[in-house]
Amino acid sequence: MKPLRVSLAEKRFGDTTALAGVSLELEAGELLALLGPNGAGKTTLVRAIAGRVRLDAGRIELGGRLAEERGARDVLGVVPQDIALYGMLTPRENLELFGRLHGLGGTALSDAVGWALGWTGLEDRSRELVKTFSGGMKRRLNIAAGVLHRPRIVLLDEPTVGVDPQSRERIYEMLTELRREGASLLLTTHQLDEAESRCDRVVIIDHGTVVGAGTLSELVGRLFGGRRTVVLTLDRAPEMPLPGLELEPGERTARAMLGDAVDELPALLGRVRAAGFEVEDLALHRPGLGAVFLALTGRELRE
Amino acid sequence: MIGTIMKTSLLHLRRDRVVQALTFLLPIAFFSIFALVFGGRGTSGSEVRVDVGVVDEDGSAVSTRLLAALEKEKGLEVSRTVKVREAQEPLDRERARALVQAGRLDIAVVAPKGFGAAFPGFFPGAPEVEILADPSNPIAAQMVVGLLQKVGMTALPDLLARRGMEAFERYAGVLTPGQRAAVDQWLQHLQAGAVAAPRGDAQPEPMGSGLVRTKVVDVIRERAPRTGIIAFYAAGVGVMFLLFMASGAGGALLEEAEAGTLERLLTSRLGMGRLLLAKWVFLTLLGFAQVTVMFVWGALVFGLDLWGHLGGFVVMTAVTAAAASGFGLVLATLCRSRQQLGGLSTIVILIMSAVGGSMFPRFLMSETMQKAGLLTFNGWALDGYLKVFWRNAPTLDLWPQVLVLSALAAGFMLAARLLARRWEAA
């Protein structure tokens, strides 16, 4: 049984179609990245799963139960993009509040709060007001407040936005710990490198539909086969176009996509030399998530 | 440079409707309200009307004519009977006193035995007309005393002259037959003129004061000497600040929506209904504490008799705080931002406080404005507090105020719940 299954989700806001039949599945214990350009429908989908948006059509199942069923969403933890904490309360008071609202009480609550303070590394600051914390500390506490009741499925909306690399690393360590304990995670992010290096699978949506889903290898294989990108550094910036190469104006770098690098590379290097240039450096890359995203959506993620 | 900064300021002003309203509409609204409260006495529809009970213990021709003339005065609504068990019975001194104490009459006039025989009251020891007054309405007492002097001169000129001549004869000697005939003819003329005088329009010639000897009796203070105008101000200021507190604290909901904590609360097991209920209960308790602190201060520092009216105070404060909290939540759920809430609540609360009597007693306003005051939250709340602290009314007598304020609390909560739907699942 899949922890989360979204089938043919549709949602319109007036004349705008936010979701036009999105389907996706979250596997047990996996970390799934949900990617898409701005306005693609990511937030609407996450809010629909969280119960904050009513679908016009389609269904959402959580642990095999329809999400609308009473108590079905109890297995869900939601970590919003905003720092949704009370600045005038201490971390302990915030955690106790959200723990109670998720049904915890008594020893279970104090145990959960103790765990969360340790998990976030905020034990020493547990009696200070949250408004005095750094951005990274608030982010960690923001995540803890959403997972305090130890949900089986965690939705994270941009959990690392605006934090320094050190805090980001700490946040991913925390997420890894959650996965180890059996939670399945769905996160939205604009950080392609994070999605590429940290997530098991990615789902890319655009214009309210899924345009690609799978592991990075599967997506690259599907879109680019065995093709590789070659990046050449020349001795000087070319002033005229070079056949078969993409150039950056004024730059010494030149790129080309090769179907079979072993066969095609010698001919390419020969053409460069014939044009009067020397190759100072050469790198061969498998296309990454950026290339996949661009190929599927026609846009850079940041656009 | 200066022009650029001014243009930017103008663009901000053009796009901020709340600031526009505060800048232009609020002064106009306040000017209009105060003009209506203080200046609305020129037209007949908005005149101050004083309800007067009249008791004629003397039953003489003088008292009958005097009180009948008083009845014709504009601005007085005179009653001589009271409804007792479905039957109209004549007012007597005790009934009139009780009606003034209960606030059902603004004032009562009692002509005592022997008043007519001693009229005009030129001589010491003459019986005085008693004015049974509620000191919360000083205008009514001054108005009735003044009108009594006026009708004393305009309704009884023949009697004044006759008694004047009698006094003259007693101290200066008897008139000759010729003088007597001339005086009799003049007296007849005076009496005819008094009867023919049109309603309320007679212009008395100045003859000094004190023709009708009067004694103003404070029927409120004689029962509760320690309560006074302090009770009115405690209630008026208390209710106004209760509304400010409730709308300000209700605004926490908007902050939560902006900060994202509301989103988080709504993804928990807590629904919007329970969230609003929790906030309403908290605001009601906070409001109760706020008003209690103020009244305790009033009791300790200004001698307000809180302990003697504790039951009524608790009932009124509970329903007032409940309704004010509901009102604060309606404003908070109606507004889109904290700034909007600040502007709107300032306008609405100050207008309600002015019309409802928090700043200026409603009983001193024109009748139209007094009725308009009942459309406001403050009007009902203040009526209740005045019943408790001013009129010493038993707690059970507060039922109209309790009913209306409870209904308002329920209505406000329903409205807030409906308005809060915008934050629920889209």
Side-chain angles (χ1 to χ4, degrees), chain A residues 11 13 47 51-54 74 78-80 82-86 98 101-103 142 145-146, chain B residues 252 256-270 275 279 422-426:
Chain A
K11 180 67 186 178
F13 295 106
R47 295 190 79 221
R52 301 288 297 128
V53 164
R54 267 189 226 105
D74 288 352
V78 182
V79 178
D82 294 320
I83 302 288
L85 300 167
Y86 291 98
F98 292 114
L101 294 180
H102 279 104
N142 199 40
Chain B
E256 285 178 323
E258 282 169 22
T261 41
L262 182 64
E263 180 84 4
R264 171 163 260 165
L265 293 176
L266 294 176
T267 54
S268 72
R269 293 185 184 182
L270 179 80
L275 175 64
K279 288 196 174 288
R422 70 185 157 105
W423 284 308
E424 291 186 279

Side-chain angles (χ1 to χ4, degrees), chain B residues 279-358:
Chain B
K279 288 196 174 288
W280 177 68
V281 171
F282 174 75
L283 289 182
T284 301
L285 293 174
L286 184 61
F288 193 96
Q290 185 192 33
V291 176
T292 303
V293 165
M294 211 183 62
F295 271 78
V296 167
W297 175 258
L300 294 176
V301 178
F302 298 104
L304 183 69
D305 183 16
L306 175 60
W307 318 117
H309 301 91
L310 205 56
F313 168 78
V314 168
V315 169
M316 275 315 299
T317 306
V319 289
T320 305
S325 305
F327 183 74
L329 287 174
V330 169
L331 287 181
T333 49
L334 187 66
C335 293
R336 302 276 153 171
S337 68
R338 189 86 199 199
Q339 288 76 12
Q340 268 190 14
L341 176 67
L344 183 70
S345 61
T346 305
I347 292 171
V348 173
I349 293 171
L350 288 182
I351 287 175
M352 288 210 318
S353 299
V355 177
S358 275

